[in-house]
Amino acid sequence: MAAVTAGSGSGSGPAGSPEATGGSTGGGGWRRPHGPLQRYYGPSTAEAAEASPDPTDINGPHFDPEVFMTKVRNECPLGQLLAREAALGREIRALDSDMQTLLYENYNKFISATDTIRKMKVDFRHMEAEMDDLAANMAAISASSARVSAALQDRHRRGAQLAGVQALLRKLQALVEVPGRLRCWAGTEPARALRCHARARAVLRHYRHLPSFRAIEDESHAIMADLAQRLRTRLREEKLDPKELTECVEMLLQLEEPAEELSEEFLSQAGARLEAELAALEAELPTADPSGTATTPPPPASDILDFVDRGSSAFVGTLCQLASSYRALFGGDTGRLEPFAAALATRYFALLERRLALERGLGDTSLLVRALDRFHRRLRALLELLPAGADAAAALVARAARERVDRYLRALQTFFLGCLGDVRQALAAPRPPGKEGPGLPDLLATLAASVLGQLKAVLAYVQLFTARDVAFASLPYFKGEFCVTAVREGLVVAFVRWLCRTARGFADGPAERGAPAAPPALLLLLARLCLDYENSTISYILTLTDEQFPPQDSGPAVTPGPALCAEARAAAQRLLDHYVQVQGAAVAQMLRKSVETRDWLGTVEPRNVRAVMKRVVEDITAIDVQVGQLFEEGVRRAQSSDSSRRAFSVYSSSRAPGRYAPSYTPSAPMDTHLLSNIQKLFSERIDIFSPVEFNKVSVLTGIIKISLKTLLECVRLRTLGRFGLQQVQVDGHYLQLYLWRFASDERVVQGLLDEVAASAAHRCLDPVPMEHSVVELICERG
Amino acid sequence: MEDDAPVIYGLEFQARALTPQTAETDAIRFLVGTQSLRYDNQIHIIDFDDENNIINKNVLLHQVGEIWHISTSPADKGVLATCYNKTSDTKVMTCAAVWRMPKELESGSHESPDDSSSNTQTLELLCHLDNTAHGNMACVMWEPMGDGKKIISLADNNILLWDLEESSAKAVLSSSAALEGKGQLKFTSGRWSPHHNCTQIATANDTTVRGWDTRSMRQIYCIENAHGQLVRDLDFNPNKQYYLASCGDDCKVKFWDTRNVTEPVKTLEEHSHWVWNVRYNHSHDQLILTGSSDSRVILSNMVSISSEPFGHMVDDDELSDQEDQHQEEKIFVYRPFRIKEPLQDSVIATYEEHEDSVYAVEWSSADPWLFASLSYDGRLVINRVPRALKYHILL
């Protein structure tokens, strides 16, 4: 009802709207015009309603009472029908009462609306007259206004003219004041004076034909010249920091001083400053000592990172700043700047190089890498100005890295020599009886492991140079050449080569020319080490290196692994051969002395095996143990020990009469040769000092061959008595008994001992051999 | 072109001593001394007929004992010296004596080999080198290029210089020197240098090589530890006065410059056992002959340290003057050599005809392209330098 009263109170037109909202239930006619809108805003519901008109919807537009009735009758039970009927009745009654109320209300409104319209008609008539009045008044006003403005126009023009004159006069005033201001500012604020002068200058120049202006111009010129003079003095004499310098030169440029001259001044001033920076850096370096007398310069005051830091922040920073302001000041013409900067940069590089050279020890590589990295980064800004320096800088970094790698190589070598020294000491250390020192396998394992560990550590250090976060690692040098030439070839391959060479050196070098010879155990150890390198270590190291430092496809050629392996194998072979020779020579020496020093003619009947033979067997047994610690057993010629034993006994029992018979049959001197020659026809030629294989049996065979051949040659140089021959016989049998088991082919031992026996018989004045049973008895007893 | 097959001669006895007949420059003749404890020892005079490839031999009895060393006079074809063992029941003594062979054998007689055994002749003793005070004789050296009046013998640790007087009938000890030092020092071998007016000799004892001046009998240089083990033999380069070769039990042959003896100039390591003998070719000093107890003889070409390091200097004119009949052959064969000139130091050939230790090798004094080697079992092998190499050196 509030809406109704408001509507009636205002008397305005749209009175139906509150009804439309208030009584939506019965307002079917009102809703009609809203249909399109509703369709527009809610098309889905409208369309749904239109698509399937439901005749049973009692509120729907398509309601069909017949259908509805049929449906209800068909579907609903009686109780529900009754309830529905009651509900419908109630609803109809309610609707009726609503309708009556609305009818009543609308009637009232209609009456009040009629009243309002009637009242309006009266008012409009009155208003029309007033409007006419107003129009007449307005016409009068505009006429008088036109008259007024016509009267005022002339005065307005004169006023405007006067204002213009005043402005001009003010400008003139400012111009007149210029010299004063300039004078005032020139001392304290040259920049402001310059701005002022710049503003005034054009005008002054324009009106310079007027004497008064000329005077002003001249005066200000004089002031400015004075200012320029002062600025120049400042430029020349004072120490200016780069910013002041730039300002100063900029002002001078504005004063139209010759740019050429200024740029020179600028550079010399800048040069002085940079020189000072360099001198400060140089002061940290020890004085260059050309004579090289100072063998150990004192350690640098600060570490390399600090040095590079200072150098880059002070020198490089200043240089960059100066170079960029130079560019800003003098435009793109860098013809003068470039050589200037290049010269200074070169000196800086030289200083840095000297500082790097001081990094003698291995120090902290990460520090060095960081220092180089910083250097390289800071330099980038400079390099934009100075493209020529890029190569020099990259070369500097590369050299430093290369130098470091070389130093690592030397350190590795020293380390290896140190390890070798330890091994030698361990080998030479006197051992308390009954207490074994560290065995050869342990020593070998320790040596190999520590060398490999050291190599890995070095590789890890060197890898810092190619780390991802290091700026210069992206240089092409560090991607390709550094990995291949410096690290793989220069460090890893060089080390392995050096190792092989060093090892070989023990076999090739000193043995005979006085220098202390390497102990045989060391030769054996190194032979095994080299062999292990050939078998696995080299390929492992190379794989590791290639992983950590991937080689470029198009990079320089690398040493292939097999070539290195071949070197290692050659070294191992040489060492092992040398080991055989040294050990063989030791035993041979013993045998030679024993044969040479004995009086074979006057000796008594043998009762024992000579002590030296026992010693020989002992030594060879010891060598067998030693070699067995490091090398595999190896293959003997296919003979079971059982059968060889039998063959041996058959041989030894049949030998004595069979072999010696012809040699002391006076009638047939030729038979001996015949026999031995026939025997030789069937035996292979034995090379005494021949390369051995990498196994115990082969090594031992080599040593035994050398020893027995020596015995043979020595016996041939002597003349024996009967007992001398018998002694040789006993000794030979003893050796036969104990040495066959060490040799790869016992026939070698047997053949050589046969020759010894035959030669002894030849060299005997009275060749009566001992009963074989006695020989056996003596040997068993001894 | 095939090289001639080696010629082999077998002795009945074992033998170590071999020498060319130094004074003979036309015929190829070697002397071999045998070692036998139970039979009369012999000296075989081996004449080699190069054209027919035949050996003629004459046998001389050497009844005083087994021969350890033999050398011939450079002046008189008939005179030779031997070191021999004199054996008693309890003692062996090595003595030395100078001998003369029968006149008719001096230049070789060409009797048929079969009846040589029947008429063995005996050596005529000229003089003994009295060594009762000096010990066992190791070797006797004749003054090279001398008149056959001076000899040096090495006895234990003594160097004895003898003058042969009264047509070698008397040996007078003119000077001597003794090697003093720790232990029992014993010379193993020595050589008389043909240079410096024949005033220098070199000796070997144990691992040391020493040079001596025969005028003062003082040591002039000493190569300590020349070899890792015993030094077995020495030889002087006939054309380069300071060059000396040595060999020893370390299987190596080393070449020394006696002016600087800290390091050998070159080392050869080809043998697989002790090297007993090393000999320079008398004319072409790049040819080195070595014999070893590995039963091998090795001929090496050491051009780089020879007196002809760049080959023989011949210009083309001279070449075209060569005999025509060889021309074709030459072109055919020598091309490979010419391409790789100058020759590298290398082993030219390894001779494996021996089956026992080779204790002596010698170049012929008459034919520089021919040499003999002797192994312990009494086998003497005469070999030639491969013809291809020979022509390469000559042309």
Side-chain angles (χ1 to χ4, degrees), chain A residues 512-513 585 592 601 666 673 680 685 687-689 709-710 713 716-717 719 761-765, chain B residues 12 37-39 66 92 224-225 251-252 254 261-262 272-273 293-296 354-357 359:
Chain A
E512 31 194 89
R513 299 293 296 172
R592 186 162 74 88
L601 270 178
H673 302 291
K680 275 177 188 167
R685 190 188 279 270
D687 277 340
I688 305 302
F689 289 97
K709 178 78 175 176
T710 303
E713 292 295 338
R716 283 181 175 184
L717 288 172
T719 308
H762 273 300
R763 300 297 311 153
C764 183
L765 292 171
Chain B
E12 295 87 344
L37 288 168
R38 292 181 281 280
Y39 307 100
E66 52 177 6
V92 177
E224 299 269 8
N225 288 317
C251 314
K252 291 175 186 164
K254 294 187 179 182
V261 295
T262 50
S272 68
H273 201 241
S293 39
D294 64 1
S295 316
R296 293 191 179 97
H354 292 287
E355 276 159 9
D356 206 334
S357 302
Y359 293 133

Side-chain angles (χ1 to χ4, degrees), chain B residues 121-299:
Chain B
Q121 290 169 289
T122 316
L123 286 164
E124 175 197 345
L125 175 69
L126 290 178
C127 61
H128 279 291
L129 303 180
D130 181 22
N131 64 331
T132 42
H134 307 314
N136 291 314
M137 291 290 195
C139 67
V140 174
M141 303 174 267
W142 296 80
E143 182 184 35
M145 280 129 27
D147 53 3
K149 294 274 167 59
K150 274 187 176 177
I151 55 175
I152 285 180
S153 66
L154 300 177
D156 277 355
N157 62 335
N158 296 299
I159 302 174
L160 310 171
L161 175 60
W162 309 83
D163 280 331
L164 297 181
E165 292 170 3
E166 299 165 24
S167 8
S168 308
K170 194 174 154 200
V172 179
L173 184 63
S174 64
S175 61
S176 70
L179 181 64
E180 302 295 343
K182 270 194 287 181
Q184 200 180 10
L185 297 171
K186 218 166 125 184
F187 287 117
T188 50
S189 94
R191 291 295 277 185
W192 198 326
S193 165
H195 306 291
H196 313 289
N197 257 338
C198 302
T199 55
Q200 291 187 7
I201 61 165
T203 61
N205 67 296
D206 201 27
T207 61
T208 310
V209 173
R210 292 169 201 273
W212 304 82
D213 190 319
T214 54
R215 295 164 299 188
S216 60
M217 280 300 193
R218 292 198 180 190
Q219 183 176 306
I220 45 179
Y221 55 84
C222 175
I223 311 176
E224 299 269 8
N225 288 317
H227 285 264
Q229 298 172 52
L230 202 69
V231 180
R232 291 275 169 197
D233 194 24
L234 303 162
D235 198 18
F236 281 100
N237 186 318
N239 300 328
K240 291 180 90 176
Q241 55 185 346
Y242 297 109
Y243 275 68
L244 175 70
S246 67
C247 61
D249 285 3
D250 56 359
C251 314
K252 291 175 186 164
V253 179
K254 294 187 179 182
F255 299 90
W256 305 89
D257 184 331
T258 57
R259 292 164 296 185
N260 177 14
V261 295
T262 50
E263 283 294 321
V265 182
K266 277 261 174 191
T267 302
L268 272 182
E269 218 168 335
E270 302 293 342
H271 284 290
S272 68
H273 201 241
W274 306 351
V275 187
W276 286 75
N277 235 215
V278 59
R279 286 289 177 266
Y280 275 105
N281 187 293
H282 305 307
S283 324
H284 306 283
D285 54 281
Q286 61 266 55
L287 300 178
I288 310 288
L289 201 57
T290 50
S292 152
S293 39
D294 64 1
S295 316
R296 293 191 179 97
V297 174
I298 293 184
L299 178 62

Side-chain angles (χ1 to χ4, degrees), chain A residues 9 38 49 136 142 237 335 339 355 366 411 491 511 524 587 593 652 708:
Chain A
Q38 200 182 23
S142 66
E237 286 169 8
R355 179 63 185 80
S366 66
L491 183 67
L524 197 64
V587 176
K593 285 276 182 275
S652 46
L708 295 186

